[in-house]
Amino acid sequence: NWRMEDGAVVADKKTGEPNAYLVTKTPYKDFQIRAEFWVDTAANSGIFIRCADPQKITSASCYEVNIFDTRKDPSYGTGAIVDIAKVDPMPKAGEKWNTFEITARGPHLVVLFNGVKTVDVQDTKLASGPFALQYGSGVVKWRKVQVKEL
């Protein structure tokens, strides 16, 4: 149920699908994304980048920059790239506005959460593709989502 509310794109319930995504029409290779987001403590969300198949968004077919404060395995929780780059300690995103800055240049992936580097990794699995904003659970709000090609 994505909708605009107070200058943000908001989702807070599912309508049958396991997860919901807003996917760009344009594929990106080397880029920087800056996005502001607000989530409640129960939220499961994130930004999926370089998605190989925009019709099937998963952590296996995209890089998943996670927002998930209550993930059972916190090493791949908020600020991590699921199954690629762990975060330790995991920062908490719930109940406040936060920023992600995600840079992908060739195989080099860097994630900043509120200005603090949480990921700096090399990986060659995916070279380009669209990106997607995820809604999995809880309340998720996105605003000022910007992408700059490098």
Side-chain angles (χ1 to χ4, degrees):
N1 70 331
W2 296 104
R3 64 190 183 280
M4 288 300 298
E5 187 176 284
D6 298 324
V9 176
V10 179
D12 59 8
K13 63 183 173 186
K14 293 186 210 179
T15 57
E17 293 295 319
N19 292 312
Y21 302 94
L22 291 178
V23 184
T24 63
K25 293 179 181 180
T26 305
Y28 295 92
K29 181 178 179 182
D30 293 339
F31 58 87
Q32 184 173 55
I33 295 171
R34 185 183 186 285
E36 295 181 6
F37 64 93
W38 186 98
V39 293
D40 67 3
T41 56
N44 177 6
S45 186
I47 300 178
F48 287 69
I49 63 171
R50 290 184 173 169
C51 296
D53 182 353
Q55 301 300 316
K56 295 180 183 173
I57 308 290
T58 70
S59 61
S61 64
C62 311
Y63 292 114
E64 179 184 359
V65 182
N66 212 3
I67 303 167
F68 197 178
D69 287 356
T70 58
R71 192 173 196 271
K72 288 182 183 178
D73 177 4
S75 60
Y76 290 117
T78 300
I81 299 178
V82 175
D83 298 327
I84 301 294
K86 296 180 179 183
V87 63
D88 184 27
M90 183 188 76
K92 298 286 187 172
E95 306 296 332
K96 64 184 184 233
W97 281 101
N98 302 278
T99 59
F100 262 153
E101 290 179 37
I102 303 164
T103 304
R105 190 183 305 258
H108 191 199
L109 307 171
V110 176
V111 176
L112 299 178
F113 174 80
N114 293 335
V116 176
K117 189 182 296 184
T118 58
V119 167
D120 190 338
V121 69
Q122 299 279 332
D123 191 88
T124 59
K125 179 174 77 169
L126 301 161
S128 71
F131 73 88
L133 304 178
Q134 177 198 31
Y135 173 76
S137 63
V139 177
V140 178
K141 301 177 185 181
W142 295 96
R143 68 182 185 193
K144 299 181 184 175
V145 178
Q146 304 165 314
V147 61
K148 176 175 73 173
E149 293 189 78
L150 302 176

